[in-house]
Amino acid sequence: MKQEQFVTRYQHEWRQFEDWLQFRGESNDKQRGTATADLPGDETIPQRYRRLCQQLALARRRGYSPQLVERLQELMQRGHNLLYRTPRPRWQRAVQFLFADFPQVVRSQAGAMWVAFALFTVPLVGIFVLLQYKPDLIHMLLDARQIAQREQMYDPAADHLGRDSGTDWAMFGHYIMNNISIGLRTFASGLLAGVGTILVLVFNGITIGAVAGHLQQAGFGEQFWRFVVGHAPFELTGIVIAGGAGLQLGLRLLAPGRKRRIDALVEGGVIGARLCLGVAFMLLVAAFIEAFWSSIASVPMWGKLTVSGVLWTLVLVWLWRGGRGGAHAH
């Protein structure tokens, strides 16, 4: 076989293998964003690596050009380094995932994330503003019991903000279950061709906007904001990311591209699972803040806003910069 025929036959395999190397271990952020569309599945990589070794041996035996042999040798070496490197301790892999891999995966799905952001925030802000001018509309969004309960929770005379009773640890457990169930539901609903995720995002946006809008208009605003601003950076951002994970899953179901639908769905599930793992961490942090910081009534408004500003900055910088500058993803 002539070298030109050899290259034509296997060039696509080599490109796919190189894309996988960049995505799993070697990429900068820009490369990751362009390499996700046509990646081979992880389960096929050992077989592809063995084929690459055989192709390198053939190229050497047939006397193909040094440039081709060098290229295959480089791919083989990079594959060996990634597949057979010494595993790091679990805590190091966890830190690597949270501070590098997770932000990179979020950015690689930027389109879905921005759509989820719009589906969640537009209803939230819209309902909030509308209730400042049409306060009676709250009765179309919440029943009388829900309204009374929210007003009681943010009564200025209460010892704790945002809840009626319960120890900090008991509420911590409650918030964990509630937050993570919302996150998982938002993601899993993407299996309904993305429609489920859209409905969950819009519903949560309307509900949060209705509660915030009513309390602000009814004179409970300061108590409400003092409670929510602390855990909002992690909780609201986590919901949006879970929504983006669900939307990308639904998109792969509707438009698998050149892949089989089942393969595209599996790929979307893997990406979604990685995103949901990071979201679970964010919602765990949000639950901790909500239980042990948000409910403290003695901290003044300026203190709550200062902490919130710091946390928003940390979350946004983490998602924007995490994994850049040579961090490797797995």
Side-chain angles (χ1 to χ4, degrees):
M1 181 186 299
K2 294 182 179 180
Q3 177 172 318
E4 291 78 8
Q5 296 173 308
F6 182 79
V7 171
T8 300
R9 174 174 295 185
Y10 299 117
Q11 176 80 353
H12 184 62
E13 286 186 30
W14 303 336
R15 286 177 179 169
Q16 283 193 326
F17 189 75
E18 187 169 26
D19 286 345
W20 182 86
L21 288 171
Q22 291 177 335
F23 185 77
R24 288 299 181 211
E26 305 174 356
S27 66
N28 60 38
D29 200 57
K30 183 177 179 181
Q31 288 172 319
R32 285 179 63 86
T34 60
T36 57
D38 196 26
L39 284 175
D42 287 357
E43 70 280 356
T44 69
I45 294 302
Q47 180 183 1
R48 288 172 179 266
Y49 175 74
R50 290 191 293 271
R51 283 172 56 83
L52 178 65
C53 292
Q54 295 168 356
Q55 291 157 5
L56 173 60
L58 281 174
R60 285 172 171 165
R61 187 165 63 247
R62 293 172 178 172
Y64 291 155
S65 69
Q67 292 83 359
L68 177 60
V69 171
E70 183 179 351
R71 180 190 177 191
L72 296 180
Q73 173 69 35
E74 180 189 8
L75 280 177
M76 186 273 293
Q77 186 62 52
R78 289 165 62 190
H80 181 275
N81 292 342
L82 190 57
L83 287 169
Y84 299 106
R85 62 188 170 192
T86 303
R88 291 176 300 167
R90 286 186 178 181
W91 70 268
Q92 287 188 4
R93 296 202 298 272
V95 170
Q96 169 73 27
F97 173 77
L98 288 175
F99 288 95
D101 299 355
F102 174 65
Q104 286 178 335
V105 179
V106 171
R107 293 194 299 269
S108 76
Q109 306 301 314
M113 296 300 161
W114 283 114
V115 172
F117 175 78
L119 288 169
F120 180 67
T121 57
V122 170
L124 191 159
V125 174
I127 292 296
F128 178 87
V129 172
L130 186 61
L131 286 173
Q132 307 313 302
Y133 298 95
K134 301 285 186 180
D136 290 343
L137 289 177
I138 188 62
H139 299 289
M140 299 178 61
L141 302 171
L142 301 175
D143 60 39
R145 181 186 60 82
Q146 291 173 316
I147 294 172
Q149 184 183 40
R150 296 305 190 279
E151 291 178 353
Q152 183 180 4
M153 289 169 62
Y154 300 102
D155 185 344
D159 293 332
H160 287 273
L161 295 175
R163 67 193 198 214
D164 297 325
S165 61
T167 66
D168 289 346
W169 283 105
M171 296 309 297
F172 180 44
H174 170 74
Y175 294 145
I176 289 174
M177 296 300 296
N178 181 67
N179 291 353
I180 292 181
S181 67
I182 291 174
L184 291 178
R185 185 163 61 247
T186 305
F187 165 63
S189 299
L191 286 170
L192 301 175
V195 176
T197 295
I198 292 172
L199 293 177
V200 171
L201 286 169
V202 172
F203 174 78
N204 278 284
I206 290 174
T207 301
I208 295 172
V211 171
H214 171 70
L215 293 173
Q216 178 68 33
Q217 197 279 331
F220 296 88
E222 181 176 345
Q223 298 296 100
F224 173 75
W225 295 117
R226 284 173 61 197
F227 178 73
V228 302
V229 293
H231 56 271
F234 284 94
E235 184 172 327
L236 299 186
T237 308
I239 291 174
V240 169
I241 294 174
L247 291 177
Q248 63 86 26
L249 188 65
L251 181 62
R252 282 172 167 78
L253 183 63
L254 290 174
R258 292 178 292 174
K259 299 180 180 179
R260 294 187 306 163
R261 196 175 305 276
I262 185 63
D263 293 337
L265 195 59
V266 168
E267 180 183 284
V270 171
I271 293 173
R274 290 165 65 80
L275 288 169
C276 283
L277 190 59
V279 167
F281 166 76
M282 297 182 71
L283 296 181
L284 179 66
V285 173
F288 183 86
I289 296 171
E290 189 171 3
F292 296 99
W293 166 256
S294 297
S295 60
I296 301 177
S298 59
V299 179
M301 186 67 165
W302 67 264
K304 294 293 183 86
L305 290 176
T306 300
V307 170
S308 179
V310 171
L311 293 177
W312 272 115
T313 301
L314 289 175
V315 168
L316 295 177
V317 170
W318 168 46
L319 296 176
W320 175 47
R321 297 298 304 173
R324 296 185 191 268
H328 302 320
H330 307 281

